[in-house]
Amino acid sequence: MTLQPDDVLDARNLPCPLPLLKAKQSLSKLAVGQVLEVIATDAGSWRDFESFIAQSAHEMPARETRGEVYHYWLRKGEGERSA
């Protein structure tokens, strides 16, 4: 993946819904347009992040699996609060 993240969240070994909750906290600290990479091992995170992006101002320019590890790249969208 060629996306260069501005921050990385290691959410491996966290059960659902913690990867998504931690990602929301991390996104709140980023500026609009910055990219957060999330690394998770929870299989349910694939569906959780898809639903979250569909209902938010954020974008997910890429996601992939590497073995049993899921990688998500989230770009902070307009209209979201920043810290």
Side-chain angles (χ1 to χ4, degrees):
M1 181 53 46
T2 59
L3 277 173
Q4 183 62 39
D6 297 287
D7 195 11
V8 177
L9 170 65
D10 185 348
R12 287 178 282 199
N13 300 317
L14 294 178
C16 183
L18 290 177
L20 180 57
L21 293 176
K22 298 258 184 213
K24 287 180 182 181
Q25 289 174 341
S26 293
L27 279 169
S28 74
K29 298 173 185 170
L30 296 179
V32 171
Q34 288 189 307
V35 174
L36 172 68
E37 180 182 358
V38 181
I39 305 167
T41 51
D42 176 53
S45 67
W46 193 264
R47 179 188 64 251
D48 291 346
F49 279 100
E50 186 172 60
S51 296
F52 169 64
I53 292 301
Q55 299 172 18
S56 75
H58 306 302
E59 299 173 359
M60 184 165 41
R63 66 178 172 172
E64 66 183 31
T65 57
R66 298 177 193 163
E68 297 196 16
V69 179
Y70 304 90
H71 293 260
Y72 306 95
W73 287 267
L74 310 176
R75 180 172 288 119
K76 184 167 180 167
E78 295 273 353
E80 298 289 333
R81 290 184 337 176
S82 59

